[in-house]
Amino acid sequence: MKQILLLTLLFSIAVIGCRELPANAEAPAAVPSMDASTEKMPLEDTTQFTQLTWLDTTDQSLGKLTAGKEIEIKWRFKNTGNKPLIIEGVTASCGCTIPEKPEKPLLPAEEGIIKAKFNGSGSGYIVKQVHVVANTNPSKNHTLSFSGEIPAQKQ
């Protein structure tokens, strides 16, 4: 009895797997090959990368903060390479922090500032992060952070 059920199940799978697609159905998308010898991923042009040096600590401790009071945090940096520095994007780890980036490229030896406004929400010890992506070596990704203590509001 088990053999008959198993054979029926296998036969059903084979029939379903071999059926044709309706005329108006799309064929499944081809899966890209993972074989590095046959297909190569396009590489980024690292000849346009530069160096970035943070002039301030990337982990700022702000001490005691006032609940609900907006504050602005700044991180100064310098283009220490020989190509224009382009800050491609900045994002925050949560919606309570709004980051800002320089819009124009910074030439070699120029300084810039990444700013973030924190709305003062939460209570207790907080740690927030700002993520920066730039045309820099050895890494395009930079993580900035700030921390502080927000006292619990009394009700």
Side-chain angles (χ1 to χ4, degrees):
M1 183 69 173
K2 288 182 182 179
Q3 290 177 340
I4 294 173
L5 283 173
L6 182 61
L7 286 173
T8 305
L9 178 63
L10 289 173
F11 179 75
S12 299
I13 291 172
V15 169
I16 291 171
C18 293
R19 69 185 171 116
E20 290 185 29
L21 291 173
N24 62 350
E26 291 184 23
V31 176
S33 169
M34 295 304 288
D35 183 7
S37 64
T38 59
E39 289 187 38
K40 299 210 185 307
M41 298 293 292
L43 299 176
E44 253 185 305
D45 182 10
T46 58
T47 62
Q48 298 304 309
F49 282 18
T50 190
Q51 301 290 315
L52 179 149
T53 300
W54 294 101
L55 302 174
D56 298 320
T57 179
T58 56
D59 299 312
Q60 296 188 29
S61 178
L62 305 177
K64 296 268 186 206
L65 302 172
T66 303
K69 182 180 179 189
E70 183 177 278
I71 62 167
E72 184 175 85
I73 303 94
K74 296 178 184 179
W75 293 271
R76 297 178 309 125
F77 62 89
K78 183 176 185 174
N79 179 354
T80 53
N82 58 7
K83 302 284 184 194
L85 172 64
I86 300 168
I87 304 295
E88 298 170 14
V90 293
T91 56
S93 59
C94 70
C96 61
T97 304
I98 308 296
E100 295 177 26
K101 69 178 185 74
E103 292 302 320
K104 67 177 184 90
L106 285 94
L107 297 176
E110 281 190 317
E111 295 182 11
I113 298 175
I114 301 290
K115 297 178 185 177
K117 290 183 182 174
F118 171 62
N119 68 9
S121 63
S123 66
Y125 185 76
I126 56 117
V127 177
K128 305 296 177 181
Q129 294 181 332
V130 173
H131 304 282
V132 179
V133 178
N135 63 325
T136 53
N137 269 328
S139 176
K140 291 185 67 167
N141 301 304
H142 306 267
T143 301
L144 309 171
S145 67
F146 64 93
S147 60
E149 181 78 28
I150 300 175
Q153 293 182 349
K154 296 179 183 179
Q155 299 192 15

